[in-house]
Amino acid sequence: MEDIFSYRREESFNAKEGLLKDWKITVQPNISVAGWPADAGSKALADFTALEDATIIDRLKNAGADICGATKMSEFGFGIKGSKAGEALRKKEVNAELVLDLMGEARLAAMRANVFGFKPGYGIISRFGLIGLIPSMEACGILSSEVSLIGEILKIIAGADGKDFCLPDESLLPAVEIIPGKTKVGVIREAVQGLSEKENEFFTSQLGKIKEAGWKIKELTFSEYDLCQSVHNIIGAVEASSCAGRYDSVRYGKRAPGTKNWNEMYLQSRGAFFGLLIKSYLFQGAYFQFEKYSDYESACRIRKHLVREIEKLTAQTDFLITPVRMPKNASTPLSLTETYDQFAATLFANVAGLPALCMPAGENVCGIQICGARLCDLSLLSLGEYLCNQGWGK
Amino acid sequence: MEMEAVIGLEIHVELNCATKMFCDCPNRPGDEPNSNTCPICLWFPGAIPQFGRAALEKAALLCLGLNAELQPKSAFDQKVYYYPDLPKGYQLSQAHLPLSRGGWIEIADEQGKPKKLRIHHIHMEEDVAKLLHEMEGRTPISLVDFNRAGAPLVEIVTEPDFRSSYDAMEFLKALRAQVRYVGSSECSMENGTMRVDANISVRPKGTDQMNTKVEVKNMNSVRHVGDAIAHEITRQSACFQSGEAIILHTRLWDPEKKATLPMRAKFAGPCVPDPAVPVIELSAEWIAEMKKRLPEMPAARAARFSTQYGMTAEEATYLSAEPDVALYFETLIGEGIAPRTAMHWLTTQLMPALKEKKMELASCKVTPSRFAQLLSMLAQDEINANAAREVLTHLFDSDETPDRIVAARGFKQVSDPGALCSLIDKVLAEQPAALNDLKNGQAKAIGFLVGKVMQASGGKANPKMIKEMLAGKLDSYNQ
């Protein structure tokens, strides 16, 4: 088991009375639990201990949850290389896992572990105490084999927080009833392109099942779908570069020894302790900040446009359904491009800030993701539960 | 060729909020190093900035006090650079959408004519930490004090409307007065709550070219700003005349050498919109509410003083420059003191005494009510001016009322005609030459004799009565 966990709670634990009493939940070390190591998977933060509970941890503890350990993670949660997210669930060690979703990490991990992986919409969950990398697009994901538990956890951790002023003054909308004849689902044509024959066959058969059950399926066109990846890549890298600016070895974190002045200290500490993938991402971000700022501005403008276009798509239907390719277990380190390619089907929900749920994929050739409009997180989870009860996705 | 300077100022003003801009740490940079810090201002992993309402209100009042227009929408950006005084690799500042645009300050130019100097915009930003480099000893070390990191600042960026160091100095004095009025900052260049950078270029007079500018920093008084600008104008004019190219860079003012010295190439880093601080949207109602909170500003107050109390423009400007002085003055008037007496005693006695004792008007023992009691005794001839000055020195150290000080120390003025008459006779007996002058009708002797009688009375005699009585004697001798 130890190869899954980076930390396991050793101190005794008296669960508070609450809705989540006796439910075991793991986090990753980029989610602050007071007194626990919080290195965010990076050598740059080796030996850093969280001072306070993240707001979500505080709320979960108050609801009686047993925060029982932290699983190994990729550096700063970027990509899934090195991450053991989902493994504790697969081994039925815990009831739920919390995993930051920067571009689909929580969802892909869940698919691999044959459980549900949910990314809440933007601005629903406090980011206080989350050691993030891409503030405008990431959200704390929830993994579980039971959608209803994801819903319970979401209701407990969501909502305004005096420590995170970025949460808009909005509440989740109540779940709507799922009625097969009435509920409309949309399929984005461009999201289906590029599937292998087998993947396509599987996805089409799943759509066939819900058609038979009387659901309305609408084919949608989103010609700029591929731009989501470039936009996420540019804006994500710039935000990551800013976010990682604080890891300068001045106040905490590891410092390279024997440097003569602080310029050397910065260069050598950051050079020695950041991993290769993160370093190339930060380099890319700094490049857009210092050398190609106008391209970054263009990416921001395009994002605005994409968000509007995706809103139009969600307005035409109740939910979107897209296929998600199973991530391959690469043996060599991935390049930035390869990393991004893994998330080609999930990152549009991060760009647009929409809630998205990946269904358990088991031995299937292809995963399936459903996605709803902003603030419709609870309805989306209802749909997931409904489809699961119908034996869909198998 | 006659040259002309084109000058613009960038002025950082530290707001006097109780807490820092993005956390609840006390805004007291002078405390024990690193005592006023928290995970937010040290930018620990997982920290999120919490923009405070107090900073917004103080900044907004400052903008309104400088006639600037608050923007309905403003936002913070990340000014990216890496330096140990910056705990997160960027400074939160408003580069793209500032809190206010426009604005102006009116000064009297060198000929006394009104001149409006325009402000381009005012934005909010956080201060950075303080670095201390210890170069002595075997290993030089750099120490960082984060008490100042995250302290609330505004930066006032002017238009290049200034043509001389006089303009800049007058602008800064007026700015300081106006900001003190709205209560947003003490604006002390000495204590670093106001820091001024000047951008200076020169051109042949009469042209409208904008030549390469040089930025000058490190002036810690208004006078230094004036000196640095004057020096830079001379230096650049000489470069221009001799055909030497002027390069965009930053120079430091060296007050001892009285010269500007090159420091570094001017910094220009990227400014990326910050995703963690919410966009600031100001409603029309909120702006109206802030406008209601604006006090009467110095220029308006000076105009009122001038008409209401019959002062010259200079006197009125002097008395209204500092809000606490103006308030003190009007409190004296409220206590029944005549405006001219109040102004005269405040400006020629109390203020110089405070300066000498290095005390503040607001915190000294000479409260307006005690000072007013003293001035009333003077007005009612209970004491004379000499005694009043003496009593004032006692007011600084004792809590006793002025009349008790007068009684206890025998400062009471002698106004009894009989006592004064015998004093005069005694002095005349001692001064035969002056008596002779008096008898010969020479009025100039009166002044000399008043002084002698005052001396003989130990300063307590009523000089007005002595003068009248001596004049009576002169008349009687010469009838």
Side-chain angles (χ1 to χ4, degrees):
Chain A
M1 271 330 267
E2 285 317 308
D3 60 335
I4 295 177
F5 287 88
S6 64
Y7 183 80
R8 296 193 91 159
R9 197 196 68 243
E10 281 164 13
E11 67 271 21
S12 61
F13 172 75
N14 290 318
K16 291 192 180 171
E17 289 304 319
L19 272 175
L20 297 180
K21 175 133 192 202
D22 298 331
W23 293 104
K24 281 182 183 301
I25 300 176
T26 57
V27 296
Q28 293 202 307
N30 56 349
I31 297 174
S32 303
V33 181
W36 288 21
D39 64 8
S42 179
K43 280 187 196 155
L45 271 176
D47 304 329
F48 183 78
T49 303
L51 298 174
E52 287 177 80
D53 281 338
T55 297
I56 56 173
I57 296 301
D58 188 45
R59 290 180 180 176
L60 288 172
K61 282 181 177 174
N62 278 329
D66 173 5
I67 310 294
C68 62
T71 59
K72 287 182 178 164
M73 63 181 293
S74 58
E75 189 169 18
F76 292 113
F78 181 71
I80 49 174
K81 188 92 182 124
S83 169
K84 296 287 179 192
E87 293 302 303
L89 276 168
R90 187 210 290 277
K91 300 196 170 163
K92 306 214 183 317
E93 276 266 311
V94 296
N95 303 101
E97 296 187 30
L98 300 183
V99 176
L100 247 63
D101 192 300
L102 284 62
M103 52 182 165
E105 289 84 348
R107 285 165 282 163
L108 286 200
M111 266 176 41
R112 266 204 318 207
N114 197 29
V115 296
F116 290 93
F118 173 65
K119 179 197 88 75
Y122 179 79
I124 291 303
I125 292 178
S126 166
R127 287 179 47 255
F128 175 78
L130 308 184
I131 306 174
L133 202 62
I134 312 177
S136 77
M137 293 191 275
E138 69 203 7
C140 180
I142 308 166
L143 283 65
S144 178
S145 52
E146 290 175 53
V147 196
S148 56
L149 180 59
I150 294 179
E152 289 305 321
I153 292 175
L154 177 67
K155 279 187 255 176
I156 283 161
I157 63 177
D161 175 20
K163 291 173 175 174
D164 182 357
F165 293 1
C166 262
L167 296 190
D169 197 8
E170 297 168 328
S171 311
L172 289 173
L173 299 171
V176 295
E177 205 188 334
I178 304 296
I179 307 165
K182 221 175 141 201
T183 310
K184 238 192 293 176
V185 292
V187 177
I188 300 171
R189 190 192 303 160
E190 289 75 8
V192 183
Q193 283 162 4
L195 290 182
S196 71
E197 205 175 313
K198 275 190 171 171
E199 289 164 337
N200 203 7
E201 201 177 295
F202 172 76
F203 185 64
T204 314
S205 73
Q206 294 302 312
L207 288 182
K209 274 193 200 173
I210 53 176
K211 247 188 218 162
E212 275 168 33
W215 291 54
K216 289 177 196 156
I217 295 184
K218 190 174 164 82
E219 196 186 36
L220 303 166
T221 303
F222 180 25
S223 59
E224 290 134 327
Y225 178 77
D226 286 344
L227 274 179
C228 292
Q229 189 162 329
S230 313
V231 160
H232 190 293
N233 198 340
I234 295 171
I235 296 176
V238 166
E239 290 188 11
S241 174
S242 283
C243 269
R246 68 186 69 181
Y247 309 124
D248 55 11
S249 78
V250 173
R251 301 165 316 287
Y252 49 79
K254 267 181 117 170
R255 184 181 296 179
T259 53
K260 286 193 206 78
N261 54 52
W262 64 60
N263 278 325
E264 263 186 30
M265 182 183 90
Y266 279 6
L267 284 170
Q268 298 201 13
S269 299
R270 290 168 67 88
F273 303 126
F274 285 144
L276 194 62
L277 181 66
I278 282 296
K279 254 190 273 189
S280 37
Y281 200 44
L282 301 186
F283 264 127
Q284 183 189 294
Y287 172 74
F288 284 108
Q289 284 177 336
F290 286 88
E291 302 291 335
K292 283 277 183 194
Y293 187 74
S294 62
D295 285 6
Y296 165 73
E297 286 183 308
S298 302
C300 290
R301 267 197 302 278
I302 296 170
R303 166 160 69 173
K304 226 177 200 175
H305 171 76
L306 292 176
V307 170
R308 273 198 299 266
E309 290 302 304
I310 295 173
E311 271 170 5
K312 278 186 210 161
L313 298 181
T314 51
Q316 292 176 45
T317 55
D318 296 304
F319 302 100
L320 303 173
I321 293 187
T322 59
V324 181
R325 306 184 82 166
M326 299 293 276
K328 290 190 188 76
N329 276 327
S331 52
T332 49
L334 294 177
S335 68
L336 262 186
T337 314
E338 286 164 336
T339 303
Y340 260 98
D341 282 345
Q342 283 190 324
F343 298 95
T346 48
L347 53 74
F348 83 94
N350 299 76
V351 170
L354 302 181
L357 178 72
C358 276
M359 308 291 285
E363 301 298 314
N364 299 336
V365 291
C366 169
I368 285 173
Q369 171 181 247
I370 53 178
C371 188
R374 273 204 73 231
L375 305 177
C376 296
D377 303 49
L378 295 174
S379 298
L380 181 72
L381 292 173
S382 294
L383 175 69
E385 191 165 18
Y386 177 93
L387 292 174
C388 180
N389 291 340
Q390 300 293 312
W392 192 72
K394 296 282 185 312
Chain B
M1 197 188 327
E2 201 187 340
M3 302 298 288
E4 170 183 71
V6 180
I7 306 157
L9 302 179
E10 290 167 11
I11 304 142
H12 284 93
V13 170
E14 193 141 330
L15 300 173
N16 56 4
C17 305
T19 61
K20 293 186 181 183
M21 196 166 228
F22 296 106
C23 63
D24 290 336
C25 284
N27 177 26
R28 290 196 306 267
D31 284 4
E32 179 72 14
N34 294 313
S35 56
N36 298 329
T37 57
C38 74
I40 296 177
C41 58
L42 291 176
W43 293 89
F44 271 52
I48 292 183
Q50 296 168 6
F51 181 58
R53 180 173 281 268
L56 179 63
E57 288 183 1
K58 294 249 178 198
L61 280 172
L62 181 144
C63 294
L64 293 173
L66 300 178
N67 311 301
E69 193 164 331
L70 289 173
Q71 300 297 294
K73 186 175 164 184
S74 71
F76 278 92
D77 298 287
Q78 306 172 341
K79 196 165 156 187
V80 182
Y81 68 96
Y82 291 88
Y83 208 65
D85 65 3
L86 201 54
K88 57 187 175 307
Y90 56 84
Q91 180 187 21
L92 286 167
S93 176
Q94 299 185 301
H96 299 300
L97 295 170
L99 180 63
S100 76
R101 293 184 195 272
W104 46 266
I105 285 180
E106 191 173 273
I107 62 162
D109 73 5
E110 280 163 282
Q111 284 74 45
K113 282 195 227 117
K115 179 176 181 180
K116 260 187 193 174
L117 297 166
R118 293 168 304 154
I119 294 166
H120 182 267
H121 74 265
I122 302 172
H123 65 257
M124 297 183 279
E125 65 184 28
E126 56 172 345
D127 209 343
V128 297
K130 201 170 162 184
L131 290 176
L132 189 73
H133 305 297
E134 293 204 339
M135 306 309 284
E136 314 224 325
R138 256 180 299 170
T139 321
I141 52 169
S142 296
L143 300 168
V144 200
D145 175 7
F146 288 98
N147 279 355
R148 203 179 64 184
L153 292 178
V154 294
E155 183 173 347
I156 300 148
V157 180
T158 75
E159 296 283 359
D161 283 354
F162 305 67
R163 294 291 168 266
S164 63
S165 50
Y166 173 88
D167 283 355
M169 285 160 63
E170 288 303 305
F171 179 90
L172 290 174
K173 285 187 228 163
L175 173 95
R176 186 169 60 193
Q178 285 172 227
V179 173
R180 284 180 184 172
Y181 258 68
V182 298
S184 295
S185 173
E186 284 66 49
C187 284
S188 158
M189 289 191 73
E190 209 176 37
N191 299 335
T193 52
M194 181 160 96
R195 307 194 278 270
V196 180
D197 302 338
N199 288 298
I200 305 154
S201 67
V202 294
R203 65 186 176 199
K205 197 164 182 169
T207 64
D208 55 5
Q209 21 181 294
M210 285 295 198
N211 292 322
T212 305
K213 65 185 180 182
V214 169
E215 184 188 47
V216 185
K217 287 176 177 287
N218 197 41
M219 294 82 83
N220 56 12
S221 72
V222 173
R223 168 132 306 273
H224 282 177
V225 175
D227 289 349
I229 290 174
H231 175 272
E232 195 53 27
I233 294 172
T234 313
R235 191 191 68 83
Q236 286 188 33
S237 299
C239 289
F240 196 93
Q241 308 270 17
S242 68
E244 193 186 316
I246 288 165
I247 310 153
L248 178 71
H249 70 302
T250 300
R251 296 175 78 85
L252 286 186
W253 170 246
D254 184 329
E256 277 168 28
K257 291 186 181 141
K258 291 204 176 299
T260 62
L261 305 171
M263 180 172 89
R264 56 167 161 80
K266 190 167 162 58
F267 168 80
C271 286
V272 187
D274 182 80
V277 184
V279 168
I280 298 159
E281 287 181 4
L282 303 182
S283 67
E285 294 76 37
W286 191 86
I287 294 174
E289 197 54 43
M290 283 295 118
K291 282 184 179 164
K292 268 192 226 155
R293 278 170 52 179
L294 268 193
E296 180 184 41
M297 295 302 285
R301 187 165 290 177
R304 179 169 65 79
F305 278 9
S306 183
T307 50
Q308 192 172 342
Y309 305 123
M311 293 176 181
T312 65
E314 259 184 344
E315 290 166 343
T317 305
Y318 178 81
L319 271 186
S320 51
E322 300 284 341
D324 51 346
V325 175
L327 177 68
Y328 198 104
F329 169 72
E330 292 216 283
T331 313
L332 293 178
I333 307 284
E335 300 265 347
I337 307 300
R340 289 221 72 80
T341 308
M343 181 192 69
H344 178 74
W345 277 80
L346 185 58
T347 57
T348 65
Q349 301 299 326
L350 184 56
M351 297 305 290
L354 282 170
K355 200 173 171 190
E356 198 192 306
K357 293 175 192 285
K358 295 194 170 66
M359 283 182 179
E360 296 293 327
L361 187 58
S363 55
C364 80
K365 282 189 173 182
V366 190
T367 60
S369 122
R370 298 178 83 212
F371 198 47
Q373 284 171 35
L374 174 68
L375 296 182
S376 317
M377 292 173 81
L378 179 73
Q380 284 155 25
D381 281 338
E382 288 174 40
I383 51 171
N384 61 36
N386 282 336
R389 276 190 283 273
E390 281 287 324
V391 175
L392 178 59
T393 62
H394 290 286
L395 285 181
F396 277 105
D397 325 306
S398 118
D399 291 320
E400 283 183 299
T401 57
D403 54 345
R404 292 197 66 139
I405 295 173
V406 165
R409 294 173 199 267
F411 287 130
K412 206 158 173 71
Q413 180 159 267
V414 178
S415 299
D416 170 41
L420 290 178
C421 196
S422 51
L423 256 180
I424 289 171
D425 290 343
K426 187 173 157 248
V427 168
L428 286 176
E430 289 163 6
Q431 303 287 344
L435 178 64
N436 214 28
D437 287 348
L438 208 60
K439 285 183 172 164
N440 292 332
Q442 294 191 22
K444 66 173 187 201
I446 292 181
F448 171 77
L449 286 167
V450 170
K452 285 290 166 193
V453 177
M454 287 302 292
Q455 213 175 358
S457 74
K460 287 182 215 163
N462 182 335
K464 218 166 103 196
M465 283 179 72
I466 298 169
K467 201 176 165 187
E468 280 165 15
M469 289 163 82
L470 283 169
K473 278 194 189 294
L474 179 91
D475 288 345
S476 64
Y477 289 135
N478 295 292
Q479 268 171 7

